Amino acid sequence: MLGFLLRRIALAIPTLLAVMTAVFVLARVVPGDPAQVILGDQATAEALAALRQRLGVDRPLPAQYVDFLSGILRGDLGTSMVTGKSVWAEVLAVLPYTIELTLAAILLGILFGVPLGVLAATRHNRLPDALTRVLSLAGLSFPAFVSAVLLLLVFAIELRWFPVISNPRSGDLLERLQHLALPALNLGLIMTAYITRVTRSSVLGVLGEDYIRTARAKGIGRRAVLWRHALRNALIPVATVIGLYLGTMIGNSVLTEIVFNRPGLGKLILGALNQRDYTLLQGLMVIFAGFIVLANVATDLAYGLIDPRVRAR
Amino acid sequence: MTEPVLAIRNLAVEFRSRDGWLPAVRGIDLDLAPNETLALVGESGSGKSLTALAIMGLVPGPAGRIAAGSSIRFEGEELVGASEKALDAVRGNRIAMIFQEPMTALNPTMTVGAQIAEAIRVHRGLGRDAAWRESERLLDLVKVPSRRRRMHDYPHQFSGGMRQRVMIAIALACRPRVLLADEPTTALDVTIQAQVLGLLEDLKREHGLAVLFITHNLGVVALIADRVAVMYAGEIVESGRVEAIFAAPKHPYTLGLLGSTLRIDRDIEALQPIPGSVPAPGALGRGCAFAPRCPRAVSRCETEPPPLEAVAPGRLVRCWMPA
């Protein structure tokens, strides 16, 4: 298992390198001079040149590239052009809230999605199956910002069960959970819909396998066959979906964090975009890429835990 | 003949289609005595595997079902229409089954030991440790080397032949009375085939098993079977003792099967394949199902289905023009 882990991590290194190169190139081909953006139209040529020198953008591209990479290797992502704080400080200040939100959404998704998917598969082509299929399709087709607004209208404004503005910094555990509930539910619904559909089709496929027939021929009851034999095999694709979702959490959390006015990486990236904070943006992209690679490694690890055949490879 | 342990009467299995329920197995009668090996022979699609699945109560639903009027009595107990709970008590316990595909018939995410021990724990009520020790003994019985280590291995770490031994160990875990073997050696190399057949034969003798052996390999039949039942298009067309049938096949289909078997003492030109293939359940005519492919067919064969009749003691043939 340790060897498997190390192999996976080693394979992730070239991926990360490619992503960082792409980030570097993208940041350089974006039109406009960062110094000009920062100092504005009225800036003098001397001021611009001085700032370019300070930012390091006056040096040849290969030298900048080496600087950029060696900075990352040293764990230095640079400083924000707007606030002057280090990118790491900006990120670490809000990272826990995004992680909290994502984990809660995934937890909700697994908690509801797996049982619903199993239910639909075992009642294949009957009413529970049809209902789950329609509901999960609805969950998938609903844009996250629309469902966020609806959740706010119903549970925060009409029923007043939860706060309108999600402030994760506040108070004790119960209060924090209250602030987390609606944003997590919003992302969790999408996650539930995904997991339900994948679990359903995966369980259906597995139930047709030969080894399920073998288990039935052993005299194992339907229920035990489902939970002991089918589910573990059916969870392999489910783990993939969760892994992919971890990667796309950025896009979804951006919208959710904006609607609920909740701090997090999503709001940070939006702010950086609005303020043309190139260094912050560049650092954030590297961090996101790192997250996606990490999510993929975690997914592969989950495979290894579920499926002994993967471990052997 | 001694009291049969398994008595099948008028067994029919049907499948739902756009044109209603179509019969895939049509009115089968079979008796299986203790210590006996009965070979069920026929081409793919003749209904032999379905017959075995019907005995296990595992006809794939809801598209398939055992038709009304069928009867499968095991040690006097009617299995058709029995509750799932009653069937679960019989399956894997008193009637066991092994399947054709050893590569896919074992759960890839469970250790081999756990898969053997599972049946023991369910049916024999043994605790975890006792079931594990018993599973080790069974692996020994089916001659899996270094069993202690192998118990913790997963199916993908086993070869096809070794997996089939594991399947046999699972099947024998609860000392069944009847073993249904659905082409257990078809997917194996010839040398491994012989080993597995030898193992089955030994186990049968030691445990007094009744074996229903499904195969299309007549060489295997000659080697292990006491009696043979030949199936065609869901029906039994000929049955009898293995020597009698090999010496003098009566039904043209049996003749054809024997004629299309390779033999070392004959030239390949002597092979006489049966033209055409088994008709689909919905495509049966009024008369004998084999008539369209039969070299001996006369006009009566096209219009009137022949009955299964005794032509000698213990010898049944379904043909208007037996050889």
Side-chain angles (χ1 to χ4, degrees):
Chain A
M1 196 67 202
L2 187 71
F4 173 74
L5 184 94
L6 290 176
R7 271 200 305 282
R8 287 305 307 146
I9 292 173
L11 276 175
I13 291 172
T15 315
L16 267 178
L17 196 67
V19 170
M20 285 177 217
T21 309
V23 165
F24 175 83
V25 171
L26 277 177
R28 296 307 179 278
V29 296
V30 170
D33 175 3
Q36 189 88 61
V37 172
I38 293 169
L39 295 179
D41 294 339
Q42 310 300 319
T44 60
E46 293 79 46
L48 283 174
L51 185 58
R52 280 195 204 105
Q53 197 185 3
R54 192 161 67 77
L55 293 174
V57 291
D58 58 336
R59 304 174 57 213
L61 280 180
Q64 288 188 42
Y65 182 63
V66 170
D67 275 359
F68 173 65
L69 280 190
S70 67
I72 289 174
L73 280 181
R74 278 180 280 122
D76 178 12
L77 291 176
T79 48
S80 160
M81 288 181 181
V82 175
T83 64
K85 283 196 265 178
S86 82
V87 171
W88 272 119
E90 295 278 355
V91 168
L92 288 178
V94 295
L95 185 63
Y97 308 123
T98 298
I99 289 181
E100 180 183 82
L101 178 63
T102 307
L103 287 184
I106 288 174
L107 204 67
L108 283 175
I110 295 173
L111 229 54
F112 293 112
V114 170
L116 275 175
V118 170
L119 178 83
T122 51
R123 309 283 189 284
H124 184 40
N125 282 339
R126 282 183 275 167
L127 187 65
D129 185 24
L131 273 180
T132 351
R133 258 151 62 188
V134 170
L135 284 178
S136 61
L137 188 65
L140 284 182
S141 9
F142 237 76
F145 58 90
V146 176
S147 55
V149 171
L150 282 179
L151 283 175
L152 273 179
L153 277 175
V154 174
F155 293 103
I157 293 173
E158 282 300 315
L159 296 170
R160 294 173 181 276
W161 289 354
F162 301 103
V164 176
I165 289 175
S166 171
N167 178 9
R169 293 185 180 94
S170 68
D172 56 14
L173 185 69
L174 187 74
E175 208 175 324
R176 289 185 56 164
L177 281 178
Q178 253 187 340
H179 281 275
L180 179 62
L182 284 186
L185 194 63
N186 189 46
L187 285 181
L189 283 177
I190 305 172
M191 199 66 211
T192 303
Y194 262 120
I195 293 185
T196 303
R197 292 184 81 81
V198 177
T199 306
R200 173 186 173 274
S201 65
S202 175
V203 168
L204 270 181
V206 166
L207 285 179
E209 293 283 347
D210 283 355
Y211 56 82
I212 296 301
R213 192 180 57 186
T214 305
R216 297 283 291 143
K218 279 199 277 189
I220 314 294
R222 236 173 247 285
R223 193 177 290 261
V225 166
L226 181 68
W227 294 110
R228 212 177 312 153
H229 289 267
L231 198 59
R232 191 188 176 100
N233 288 288
L235 281 183
I236 297 168
V238 177
T240 316
V241 166
I242 295 174
L244 285 176
Y245 176 81
L246 270 174
T248 58
M249 76 181 174
I250 309 144
N252 286 320
S253 63
V254 170
L255 294 169
T256 304
E257 282 169 2
I258 292 167
V259 175
F260 289 96
N261 199 17
R262 193 188 145 87
L265 288 184
K267 274 200 78 178
L268 195 61
I269 200 170
L270 185 77
L273 271 172
N274 283 340
Q275 299 171 308
R276 306 282 155 93
D277 191 342
Y278 289 130
T279 41
L280 181 57
L281 209 53
Q282 186 172 283
L284 277 172
M285 271 152 74
V286 170
I287 287 172
F288 282 144
F291 267 124
I292 292 179
V293 168
L294 224 93
N296 279 318
V297 171
T299 309
D300 284 333
L301 282 182
Y303 283 162
L305 286 177
I306 297 171
D307 190 343
R309 286 167 298 183
V310 176
R311 245 172 286 163
R313 260 181 248 139
Chain B
M1 197 170 127
T2 45
E3 189 68 17
V5 55
L6 190 69
I8 300 173
R9 292 292 173 270
N10 196 30
L11 172 67
V13 180
E14 44 193 19
F15 279 92
R16 189 158 48 201
S17 77
R18 251 173 266 141
D19 315 317
W21 290 90
L22 294 178
V25 171
R26 306 182 289 149
I28 280 194
D29 293 345
L30 277 179
D31 283 319
L32 189 60
N35 278 313
E36 181 186 44
T37 299
L38 171 63
L40 204 52
V41 182
E43 284 166 279
S44 314
S46 59
K48 28 189 221 307
S49 295
L50 260 184
T51 304
L53 286 177
I55 297 169
M56 295 296 281
L58 291 177
V59 172
R65 67 175 185 197
I66 296 178
S70 305
S71 165
I72 300 170
R73 296 185 84 83
F74 168 70
E75 295 184 321
E77 183 190 346
E78 180 61 58
L79 297 183
V80 176
S83 70
E84 279 292 314
K85 205 168 163 238
L87 285 173
D88 276 337
V90 172
R91 283 195 281 249
N93 186 19
R94 294 191 291 153
I95 304 180
M97 183 160 179
I98 48 184
F99 298 96
Q100 176 174 358
E101 278 301 332
M103 304 314 272
T104 55
L106 290 168
N107 188 333
T109 59
M110 269 172 92
T111 62
V112 156
Q115 295 190 57
I116 304 174
E118 188 180 26
I120 300 173
R121 295 187 67 186
V122 167
H123 295 298
R124 288 165 63 182
L126 291 185
R128 187 181 292 269
D129 294 341
W132 193 262
R133 278 194 302 277
E134 176 68 6
S135 308
E136 282 188 348
R137 195 187 65 77
L138 283 159
L139 271 191
D140 212 24
L141 188 77
V142 296
K143 302 192 173 72
V144 170
S146 48
R147 59 186 153 88
R148 228 167 248 285
R149 186 170 53 79
R150 296 300 256 166
M151 288 282 286
H152 297 279
D153 280 350
Y154 288 92
H156 71 270
Q157 292 161 295
F158 283 67
S159 67
M162 282 297 151
R163 287 190 210 188
Q164 200 56 290
R165 286 166 196 265
V166 172
M167 282 299 297
I168 295 171
I170 292 174
L172 295 177
C174 302
R175 305 190 188 105
R177 298 292 316 279
V178 173
L179 178 67
L180 309 175
D182 186 1
E183 309 228 19
T185 59
T186 308
L188 305 178
D189 290 342
V190 184
T191 48
I192 310 295
Q193 226 178 70
Q195 288 174 14
V196 170
L197 286 176
L199 174 69
L200 273 177
E201 189 61 29
D202 292 347
L203 295 171
K204 177 200 147 197
R205 221 177 307 122
E206 282 161 33
H207 294 255
L209 273 174
V211 181
L212 183 68
F213 197 101
I214 295 171
T215 181
H216 59 257
N217 186 335
L218 290 170
V220 169
V221 173
L223 209 62
I224 58 147
D226 303 306
R227 284 193 304 133
V228 184
V230 181
M231 279 189 82
Y232 186 79
E235 284 180 323
I236 290 177
V237 293
E238 178 162 12
S239 67
R241 298 212 51 88
V242 65
E243 316 81 49
I245 287 195
F246 274 75
K250 295 281 184 201
H251 195 282
Y253 179 62
T254 317
L255 257 168
L257 277 183
L258 287 168
S260 43
T261 305
L262 272 173
R263 274 173 48 179
I264 194 80
D265 56 350
R266 282 194 307 205
D267 275 343
I268 196 151
E269 286 77 25
L271 271 185
Q272 292 176 335
I274 312 171
S277 60
V278 182
L284 293 170
R286 268 188 307 146
C288 171
F290 188 58
R293 299 170 73 187
C294 183
R296 303 169 67 89
V298 294
S299 60
R300 186 185 191 184
C301 302
E302 313 277 343
T303 55
E304 214 179 320
L308 190 63
E309 280 180 328
V311 292
R315 188 78 193 275
L316 298 169
V317 179
R318 186 189 297 277
C319 186
W320 293 123
M321 301 288 294

